[in-house]
Every structure is written in C-alpha cells, then in structure tokens.
Amino acid sequence: MTTWSDKILQLLRRMNNFYLPDSSRTTCFRFELGGEQVGWVPSNVASILSKFPEIFSPPRCGAITLRESFDSYEKRSEAVDDVLQSIRREGCLTVLKGWRDEKYDVMPRFCDTPLMCMERSATSLFGVKRYGVHINGYCRDENGELRMWLGRRSKTKQTYPGKLDNLAAGGLAAGISVKDTLIKECEEEACIPADIAETAHPVSTVSYTYEDKEGVFPESQFVFDLELPREFKPRIGDGEVQDFYLYSMDEVKEVLVSDDFKPNCAMVVLDFLIRHSYIQPDTEPYYQEFVAGLHQTL
Amino acid sequence: MTTWSDKILQLLRRMNNFYLPDSSRTTCFRFELGGEQVGWVPSNVASILSKFPEIFSPPRCGAITLRESFDSYEKRSEAVDDVLQSIRREGCLTVLKGWRDEKYDVMPRFCDTPLMCMERSATSLFGVKRYGVHINGYCRDENGELRMWLGRRSKTKQTYPGKLDNLAAGGLAAGISVKDTLIKECEEEACIPADIAETAHPVSTVSYTYEDKEGVFPESQFVFDLELPREFKPRIGDGEVQDFYLYSMDEVKEVLVSDDFKPNCAMVVLDFLIRHSYIQPDTEPYYQEFVAGLHQTL
C-alpha cells in the first residue's frame, strides 16, 4: 500500500527529477552568459539554436553562449527574442504555443544584476531559473484551529487547468519586487485588498528542478503566510481561479496527495505543514527527506 | 567592507565546505553497509583501517565496508568499537581523545533501521551523519516584540568552549526519540520542566556537511521553537552552559555574525530569523542562498 508519506516523497522526487541519475542533465548544455551559468539547454533545443550561428556561438566544453557582440541587457534580450519569435513561427516547439508576452529576468543568482530578459514560456528551453511568489492563506476558526484557503484554477488556464492552488501565486516578472508581486497577485486572483495583503509574512522559499518534454524547470518560490480575518472571504478576481475552499488541516493533508493539486503548490503547502508542526519528526519517517526535497538547488 | 549578509554567506559556505570543488570529497572512500552508503572515510583514516583486514574489506570501487561475517547490528557495532578502542590506545587520531562513551546510530537515512552504532567522537572518521535537536527559546516582551534566549557554553566544554548556543541542544543518541531528546536537553541544560518543554513546536531541520582535520561532519538538526512565559528564566543545569542571555532580535542579528557563536547554532538562529520574517526577500540579496545553505544534503 502506498502511504501518505510515500506519496509526498514521490511528489518531491518528481519535482526534482532533473537531479536523478537518469535525467537528461548529462546531455544538456550549460547556458552561460558572461562566463557564468544561467541555465541548461536540452540537446534537442541546442540543435535548433545551432541554426542561428549569428546569435549563438557553437557549443564549447558543454556550454552554449551568445556571440560576444551582444554585450548589454538590451542587445541580449532582443537577439534571443528574435530567435524565439522565429522558432515560434516555425511551430516546432510546442511550449512556445503558450507564448505569454511576459518577460522574466535571467541571471546566475537572484541577487545578481539581470543579464537579459526572456519570454516566460521560453525559459524551460534554456533551463533558466524562474522565481515566483506563493501565498498560504489561512485563518483561525472559533476553536483556534487553523483552516487553509485553497483556490481551484480555472478550467481554461494554460497550465494545470482545474487543479488546486495556493490562495494566490504568480511569477516574478522582470523588474518587479517580491512584495509588489505579492500584492498584485492577491488583488488580481483573490480580490484581497493591499492593506490585508501587506500583512503577509515572508517565511521561506521552496526550490526544485524538474524536466519534462517541454524542457528544464529550475524554480524557486518565495513563500508567504497570510493570516486572514475569520470573516474575510477571497473572491474570484481575474478569472484565473474558479473557486475558493476553506479546508481544515486534515482535509488539506488529504487533498495534498490527490492528483488534484498543482505539484509546486502542494510543495508550498507541505512547507506550511512542516513549519506549523502538522508534521512531526517522531511520527513522519521522511521528515528529513521532506525538508530536503523542498530546498533542492543546483 | 564585509556586510552582515556576506558574513552569513561565509558561515554557510564554511559549514558546507565538503560540497566545495576543492574539498576532500573526491579522495574520500564511501563507507557502505549492506550495499548502501552510510558515510565518507577520509583517505588518512582509510590507511589506518587497512591495518584491520579481519574487520574491514580492502577498499573496492572507492568504497570501504565491513567483512560479511559482521551481519547484525550487534556484531558490526562491536567489531568497529574494538577497532576504535585500539586506534584510541595508539593515540594517532586526536579526535578520539574526546571519547564520549555515547553511541550514535548509523543508517543510510534517518527513517531506516540502524545498521550499527558508533562512539560519538568517532563518527567524523567515518563521515557518518549525526542527528540532533536544537531549541530556539524565545518570549514576547510587553510590546509583543520577540526576544530570544541564548546560552553561553561552559569554558570547560570539549567543543566550542565559551561560545554562544541555542537555549538547549543535544545529539540524538541511539534509540532515543526526538521528543525525548528535546525534553532531556531542556531539563539538563536549562532546567526547563517537561510540561513547558513539551510545548515546543517542531518547525524545520537544518542540514549541512563540513570537514576539518578531524574528519567529515554531515549533520542534520531537528529544529524546535519554544515560546517561554515572559517571567520564565532558564537556569544553569548540568554545567554545560555557564550563562543565559535574553536578547532583542537586533542584538541576536548582531552577535550572529560575531565569532562568538557556535556555527551550527548560528544556522539554527538564521532559520528562525527567516521563518519569523526578520529577514525579507526584497532587502536581503542572499535570501535564496541563505535558505539553500541551511538545507544542504548529500
């Protein structure tokens, strides 16, 4: 029988499958800018990029980089965008059908100055790390017990339609701060006014790297806890969410291992369960593995 | 100028120096039991173990293991203990001068059945992972501000004498649960009665691997938060601590980067500062690196 703990462990392994010995990691090219690695290019993508020799240097020592003449944020961003638009028109990479017109910054580490920006839907083709903000929304019932707000993603969402999600979440677009992203997503997705959203507390990050047929996804989410007044109810905002539920922590644990949850949101909830002592080291055999699996970085 | 953030990053690098490219990792032998790795044996220790061919098989494919006849927990524990006693008598490995007469369990993962136990002071010679419990003790002052209790280790402590420490902490000895270790250490080190210690909340783990001349130290600490009543004062118990201080969080941040702190205890406090939002992602450039550095596992 597969236990709750086994299912959580499977989730964490799946979300970190790029670290597994049989992943494509050994056949990926490092994507380097200014001598520093900023991503991983799968070999099929590398073949396509080789058709643009005026933009990309030929792979050397397992690394792909831009021609030296692209020596500024603007030049790099524009050159790569031209390539991506061209690949998109050819229609050979399905992930680009989900073009978002949303730019993500590219840099070796979060604290570094961005070296270029890239269309969101293309980041997995270069294995560029994406950053986001996830908000655990909860309240205390009359007995002081925690209850957690979960959203259900709209059926028309491009990714993970109809799956359970955190109260609010969103990617960090180029040039926007973590706090501003938090306030924007709370407002847009759940109609939470800024004065309430601002009371959210930064508490953690959740980091992982998975790969699938659409590329490599190294991601780090800034995690916030937001205690909502008991009478407050989030409302559907921009239509990215179709419903909100207020679950007891037992219910949350139950749905967490159903296939009903967007996997990275499930990880954010797992981190909440650990920080709020709903999982205990003497009774959860994989306590250490859970914490480790929530914080994998390349 | 070295900033606070830089100093914290240096601490995390030092405590994870076994992962650095120039560490001894490539020249260490894997220590294997039952076909699974349970540690790392530095090459100088491997040379010494080779003088006990009746206990240890000759290294094969970079791995050292026990002779097959040692096929039970008791037999393995006894055989290795005999070797360690013999090495100790010869006096060639200084770390064994700190013999503790305290046994630690040895297993591939925390959730696995222990395969043997080993004298605490010898674990670094085999790079065997050690587990412990650390308790962040804090209270709220009249204004609701958190203040943290820190202990100062006795000047006669074998390791890190006179350094700042968490309220209470201790290693997980063979066969003792996390909770029982917590209660025992709270009582012994800080005279905290069990009914108060039991209110401590498990919240996290802090994991790291460092090496020094005494061997390889992969460690994972189970972290608990314990809110104490405002009027409660910890008292010196078994003499392992010489003093207790109640610091404001600003004072805690300041001493955290002094050389006055036992390094792994500083990591546990850093984890507290992150979970309690005393560090913010928009103002701390290394926020991601801090969280990652607190959760490194092999």
Side-chain angles (χ1 to χ4, degrees), chain A residues 109-111 129 131 176-180 200-207 220-224 271 273-282 284-289 291-292 295-297, chain B residues 13 109-111 129 131 176-180 201-207 220-224 271 273-282 284-289 291-292 295-297:
Chain A
R109 283 161 299 270
F110 187 71
C111 54
K129 192 161 182 174
Y131 299 91
I176 319 281
S177 75
V178 174
K179 183 113 185 233
D180 288 345
H201 285 82
V203 285
S204 182
T205 61
V206 164
S207 303
S220 266
Q221 312 297 346
F222 291 98
V223 179
F224 286 73
D271 177 70
L273 293 174
I274 291 167
R275 285 185 294 100
H276 290 265
S277 310
Y278 288 93
I279 297 177
Q280 309 260 344
D282 279 320
E284 173 47 64
Y286 303 132
Y287 192 90
Q288 295 266 343
E289 283 71 22
V291 179
H295 302 287
Q296 297 287 96
T297 45
Chain B
R13 290 215 178 113
R109 284 161 299 271
F110 188 70
C111 55
K129 193 161 181 174
Y131 298 91
I176 318 280
S177 76
V178 174
K179 183 112 184 234
D180 288 345
H201 285 82
V203 285
S204 181
T205 60
V206 164
S207 302
S220 267
Q221 311 297 345
F222 292 98
V223 179
F224 287 73
D271 178 69
L273 292 175
I274 290 168
R275 286 184 296 97
H276 290 266
S277 310
Y278 288 93
I279 297 176
Q280 310 260 344
D282 280 320
E284 173 46 65
Y286 303 131
Y287 192 90
Q288 294 266 342
E289 283 70 23
V291 178
H295 302 288
Q296 297 287 96
T297 44

Side-chain angles (χ1 to χ4, degrees), chain A residues 230-263:
Chain A
R230 199 179 307 158
E231 63 283 3
F232 183 87
K233 284 189 175 44
R235 284 182 297 114
I236 297 168
D238 58 9
E240 304 220 343
V241 180
Q242 65 174 55
D243 221 342
F244 287 105
Y245 310 111
L246 185 60
Y247 281 157
S248 71
M249 297 316 292
D250 279 343
E251 289 168 323
V252 168
K253 283 181 89 166
E254 203 181 307
V255 292
L256 202 61
V257 293
S258 69
D259 287 333
D260 210 19
F261 233 108
K262 181 167 180 260

Side-chain angles (χ1 to χ4, degrees), chain B:
Chain B
M1 207 196 77
T2 312
T3 64
W4 187 88
S5 304
D6 292 333
K7 287 180 188 167
I8 293 289
L9 211 54
Q10 284 165 10
L11 162 76
L12 294 173
R13 290 215 178 113
R14 214 161 55 234
M15 290 300 281
N16 286 299
N17 67 2
F18 192 62
Y19 298 95
L20 296 177
D22 60 348
S23 83
S24 76
R25 191 172 169 184
T26 49
T27 60
C28 281
F29 294 86
R30 296 188 309 285
F31 180 41
E32 292 187 353
L33 293 177
E36 287 211 87
Q37 184 172 6
V38 294
W40 297 91
V41 182
S43 55
N44 67 315
V45 178
S47 306
I48 296 171
L49 298 183
S50 69
K51 294 175 196 158
F52 302 89
E54 69 290 2
I55 310 288
F56 294 98
S57 302
R60 243 188 61 178
C61 305
I64 286 177
T65 188
L66 290 175
R67 292 276 175 199
E68 273 187 25
S69 56
F70 303 106
D71 57 1
S72 71
Y73 180 94
E74 287 71 24
K75 286 182 197 167
R76 293 185 203 105
S77 306
E78 201 181 316
V80 172
D81 200 59
D82 286 348
V83 169
L84 290 170
Q85 295 283 10
S86 164
I87 299 173
R88 183 188 177 195
R89 279 191 299 274
E90 286 180 22
C92 57
L93 287 170
T94 55
V95 71
L96 294 183
K97 290 187 180 149
W99 196 274
R100 298 262 198 150
D101 268 329
E102 196 181 332
K103 300 286 190 192
Y104 277 16
D105 273 332
V106 179
M107 56 271 184
R109 284 161 299 271
F110 188 70
C111 55
D112 294 325
T113 308
L115 297 169
M116 61 175 285
C117 66
M118 184 183 284
E119 153 63 21
R120 175 170 172 171
S121 63
T123 50
S124 65
L125 302 175
F126 291 82
V128 157
K129 193 161 181 174
R130 314 202 292 191
Y131 298 91
V133 177
H134 284 244
I135 300 115
N136 291 301
Y138 65 99
C139 68
R140 270 170 218 281
D141 69 14
E142 315 74 47
N143 308 313
E145 300 287 328
L146 293 199
R147 294 177 73 87
M148 184 177 256
W149 282 106
L150 296 176
R152 185 174 297 284
R153 298 163 70 83
S154 154
K155 288 195 182 105
T156 59
K157 268 282 240 189
Q158 203 168 47
T159 52
Y160 303 97
K163 296 283 182 188
L164 289 171
D165 200 329
N166 304 121
L167 173 64
L172 271 191
I176 318 280
S177 76
V178 174
K179 183 112 184 234
D180 288 345
T181 304
L182 162 96
I183 291 171
K184 174 176 155 284
E185 296 295 341
C186 279
E187 169 63 39
E188 287 180 5
E189 296 192 346
C191 298
I192 299 168
D195 62 330
I196 292 184
E198 275 175 358
T199 65
H201 285 82
V203 285
S204 181
T205 60
V206 164
S207 302
Y208 49 87
T209 304
Y210 65 93
E211 62 172 353
D212 64 20
K213 59 184 185 337
E214 302 202 321
V216 179
F217 298 79
E219 299 187 347
S220 267
Q221 311 297 345
F222 292 98
V223 179
F224 287 73
D225 280 1
L226 174 58
E227 183 169 350
L228 291 163
R230 199 179 307 156
E231 63 282 5
F232 183 88
K233 285 189 174 45
R235 283 182 298 113
I236 296 167
D238 57 11
E240 304 221 342
V241 179
Q242 64 174 58
D243 220 341
F244 287 104
Y245 311 111
L246 185 60
Y247 280 158
S248 71
M249 296 317 292
D250 279 343
E251 288 169 324
V252 168
K253 283 180 88 167
E254 202 181 309
V255 290
L256 202 61
V257 292
S258 70
D259 287 333
D260 209 19
F261 232 108
K262 181 167 179 259
N264 67 344
C265 301
M267 291 175 78
V268 170
V269 171
L270 178 67
D271 178 69
F272 183 94
L273 292 175
I274 290 168
R275 286 184 296 97
H276 290 266
S277 310
Y278 288 93
I279 297 176
Q280 310 260 344
D282 280 320
T283 51
E284 173 46 65
Y286 303 131
Y287 192 90
Q288 294 266 342
E289 283 70 23
F290 287 0
V291 178
L294 292 171
H295 302 288
Q296 297 287 96
T297 44
L298 287 163

Side-chain angles (χ1 to χ4, degrees), chain A residues 55-56 66 76-84 116 118 126:
Chain A
I55 310 289
F56 294 98
L66 290 175
R76 291 184 204 106
S77 305
E78 201 182 316
V80 172
D81 200 58
D82 286 347
V83 169
L84 291 171
M116 61 175 286
M118 184 183 283
F126 291 82

